[in-house]
Amino acid sequence: MAPSLLAADFARLADEMRAVRAEADWVHVDVMDYHFVPNLTIGLPVVESLRRHTDLPLDCHLMIDDPRQWAVGYAEVGAANVSFHAEACRDPVALAKDVRAAGSRAGLAIDRDTPVEPYLEILPHFETLLIMTIKAGFGGQDFLPEMLAKVRTARNHAASGHLELRIEVDGGIDEDTIADALDAGADTFVAGTAVYGVADPAEAVRRLRRAARRESG
Ligand code: DX5
Ligand code: ZN
């Protein structure tokens, strides 16, 4: 479970991370640059500060035009996973190597309109495949169930090649959608609005876990 700070109170990020500390596995940090997506969020200095305020692993999702220039920096300040977009990178394998050499897991992110098939062969170079289940850029959008075909394709590919791959879904994950994503083969779930849009973020994460297993309550 990776609560996304995009839906948190940006003036209280340390408190917001603390609120999910006992329940979350990762904290998802959406880095947006006004160019790759029309939204602007936070960058390297903020992530560096976040690192000092939590012991939860930071999962940085770079929605930026030039990951070549920036991705390694996020690894160097202590991100546990750095995902950059396939659409923004000419040589994802080379960048994955640099990110891993700097001490982070490497993630390949695939936006809504990008098929996964062209990237299956390079997945052994990544620990994480992030499949957008919305169009990247904004929180609070509706989950796109047709994106789960990509999750299934990637999971089957990983299973047939005995590949250890984390498959992360991002966008519109809530109590109604998480179980289908799990069934399709996802194992890592980003949730912004469903966690920080309610009064008790920790309880929201617990509820998402139960919903993923189709347990009631
Ligand atoms: C959007 C971001 C997501 C965002 C998801 O481009 O990548 O991580 O936080 O927000 P929800 O969970 O509200 O769809
Ligand atoms: Zn994200």
Side-chain angles (χ1 to χ4, degrees):
M1 289 298 317
S4 169
L5 292 179
L6 187 62
D9 179 348
F10 271 34
R12 297 174 42 254
L13 290 176
D15 296 340
E16 298 277 54
M17 291 191 295
R18 206 168 303 122
V20 297
R21 185 175 176 275
E23 302 298 334
D25 302 291
W26 283 0
V27 172
H28 187 81
V29 183
D30 288 304
V31 174
M32 305 187 186
D33 70 349
Y34 245 162
H35 292 274
F36 182 73
V37 289
N39 200 0
L40 179 68
T41 55
I42 61 182
L44 198 48
V46 177
V47 171
E48 200 172 355
S49 293
L50 293 176
R51 179 63 288 158
R52 292 197 292 270
H53 286 274
T54 187
D55 48 17
L56 283 170
L58 297 181
D59 172 32
C60 292
H61 176 196
L62 307 188
M63 284 159 277
I64 62 175
D65 256 352
D66 194 2
R68 188 81 243 166
Q69 185 177 347
W70 295 102
V72 169
Y74 288 87
E76 286 171 349
V77 300
N81 185 76
V82 178
S83 293
F84 51 86
H85 269 266
E87 303 85 5
C89 191
R90 226 174 285 155
D91 190 351
V93 171
L95 187 50
K97 284 192 178 128
D98 292 347
V99 164
R100 295 168 91 175
S104 169
R105 294 178 183 83
L108 184 69
I110 306 277
D111 205 353
R112 181 193 65 189
D113 300 329
T114 304
V116 73
E117 284 81 2
Y119 299 100
L120 294 175
E121 289 310 315
I122 64 168
L123 291 179
H125 298 275
F126 293 86
E127 280 84 14
T128 310
L129 174 67
L130 186 162
I131 295 183
M132 293 304 303
T133 38
I134 54 169
K135 172 83 181 150
F138 297 92
Q141 302 178 62
D142 286 343
F143 179 78
L144 300 170
E146 58 272 29
M147 296 295 116
L148 293 182
K150 293 192 233 183
V151 175
R152 277 183 219 106
T153 300
R155 182 52 76 202
N156 288 338
H157 181 81
S160 66
H162 305 289
L163 201 63
E164 256 194 58
L165 181 71
R166 187 184 275 274
I167 300 182
E168 182 174 20
V169 281
D170 184 3
I173 297 296
D174 61 21
E175 285 181 58
D176 295 329
T177 58
I178 192 167
D180 287 347
L182 178 82
D183 290 348
D187 53 20
T188 305
F189 306 89
V190 177
T193 307
V195 171
Y196 286 111
V198 301
D200 185 344
E203 174 61 12
V205 177
R206 286 192 288 271
R207 291 178 67 97
L208 283 167
R209 281 189 200 277
R210 287 198 293 270
R213 300 183 194 113
R214 298 189 194 276
E215 293 166 9
S216 54

